């Protein structure tokens, strides 16, 4: 396969994560794009909303084939997710419960309910989680902790990743040297998701603290 040097293409990044990904695709083609996405799964600060549109841009320039871009990036997603699944599986249920019991403001019963919810909706969580910024990587850990069947996990991960990767790669392919627009709008979505998660965590802590204070007051009243 002949690789067209990306450096000659207008709009190609030369620095930062995008520049690194561009050089990786230029040198290694589809496997390079797959490696970049595998690392993105392991290290979420490496944003797929930059790497995937850039890979689509590379395909538009003829550096790699579009089918190759989709195949290798999806394979990279599965490999990275499988590594995180393995970490969660290695931690195991008992260790997770032991760690959870030591955390402040949480109860083991909460984890038990979460575990029960994951058993009922785990397949949906893994499938849809692969299409949500940030959580697309993290969802693999509880799947490993709960020992979801590996063939099921890999199938759902591959399907969800294929959808996410296809949307972003094709966006970069069609936008050409304006591929940065994808990162801009997906970046806004990522911030919304993180903001919602932060609000949920804060609300949870506030409710838990208030509950603990009310229990303390109730016990103090009974002791009189």
């Amino acid at each position: 396969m002949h690789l067209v040097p990306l450096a000659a293409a207008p709009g190609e990044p030369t620095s930062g994560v995008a520049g690194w990904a561009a050089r990786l695709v230029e040198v290694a083609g589809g496997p390079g794009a797959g490696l970049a996405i595998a690392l993105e799964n392991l290290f979420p600060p490496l944003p797929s909303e930059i790497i995937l549109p850039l890979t689509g841009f590379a395909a538009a320039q003829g550096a790699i084939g579009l089918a190759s871009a989709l195949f290798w990036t999806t394979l990279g997603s599965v490999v990275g997710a499988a590594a995180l699944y393995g970490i969660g599986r290695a931690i195991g249920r008992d260790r997770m419960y032991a760690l959870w019991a030591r955390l402040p403001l949480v109860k083991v019963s909460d984890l038990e309910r979460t575990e029960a919810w994951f058993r009922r909706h785990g397949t949906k969580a893994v499938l849809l989680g692969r299409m949500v910024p940030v959580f697309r990587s993290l969802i693999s850990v509880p799947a490993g902790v709960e020992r979801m069947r590996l063939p099921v996990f890999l199938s759902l991960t591959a399907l969800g990743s294929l959808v996410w990767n296809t949307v972003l790669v094709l966006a970069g392919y069609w936008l050409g040297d304006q591929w940065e627009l994808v990162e801009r709008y997906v970046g806004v979505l990522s911030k919304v998701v993180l903001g919602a998660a932060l609000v949920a965590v804060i609300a949870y802590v506030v409710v838990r603290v208030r509950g603990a204070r009310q229990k303390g007051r109730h016990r103090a009243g009974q002791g009189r």
Side-chain angles (χ1 to χ4, degrees):
M1 178 178 64
H2 177 66
L3 297 180
V4 177
L6 289 181
E12 181 218 331
T14 58
S15 61
V17 173
W20 166 77
R23 288 188 294 273
L24 191 58
V25 174
E26 178 184 359
V27 172
L35 175 60
I37 289 299
L39 293 175
E40 177 266 333
N41 276 260
L42 294 171
F43 306 102
L46 292 175
S48 63
E49 57 266 30
I50 289 179
I51 297 172
L52 290 171
L54 179 60
T55 301
F57 173 54
Q61 296 297 319
I64 58 176
L66 184 58
S68 176
L70 294 175
F71 171 79
W72 285 105
T73 54
T74 300
L75 179 61
S77 296
V78 173
V79 170
L84 290 176
Y85 172 93
I87 292 173
R89 192 176 180 109
I91 292 174
R93 186 175 184 272
D94 293 339
R95 289 182 184 176
M96 181 61 69
Y97 268 87
L99 291 173
W100 189 269
R102 297 177 184 175
L103 297 176
L105 304 176
V106 298
K107 296 188 297 186
V108 173
S109 59
D110 293 333
L111 184 57
E112 291 173 344
R113 283 193 292 270
T114 301
E115 185 179 28
W117 180 89
F118 193 90
R119 286 194 183 122
R120 291 194 302 270
H121 307 290
T123 54
K124 297 177 184 177
V126 172
L127 178 62
L128 298 178
R130 294 301 305 176
M131 293 176 270
V132 178
V134 181
F135 294 107
R136 62 188 306 272
S137 297
L138 301 180
I139 194 62
S140 301
V141 178
V145 170
E146 296 300 328
R147 295 181 177 269
M148 173 181 279
R149 291 178 54 214
L150 186 58
V152 174
F153 171 78
L154 294 179
S155 299
L156 293 171
T157 297
L159 180 58
S161 298
L162 179 60
V163 173
W164 174 262
N165 294 355
T166 299
V167 170
L168 269 65
V169 168
L170 287 180
Y173 184 87
W174 288 326
L175 286 172
D177 59 6
Q178 293 184 306
W179 61 270
E180 298 102 324
L181 292 175
V182 182
E183 186 273 333
R184 185 182 306 171
Y185 289 111
V186 177
V188 172
L189 176 60
S190 299
K191 291 177 181 178
V192 170
V193 171
L194 286 175
L198 181 59
V199 170
V201 169
I202 292 174
Y204 174 82
V205 172
V206 169
V207 170
R208 186 64 72 199
V209 169
R210 287 180 178 176
R213 287 178 179 175
Q214 289 176 356
K215 286 183 180 179
R217 292 170 183 171
H218 180 68
R219 289 174 182 174
Q222 288 180 334
R224 293 177 183 175

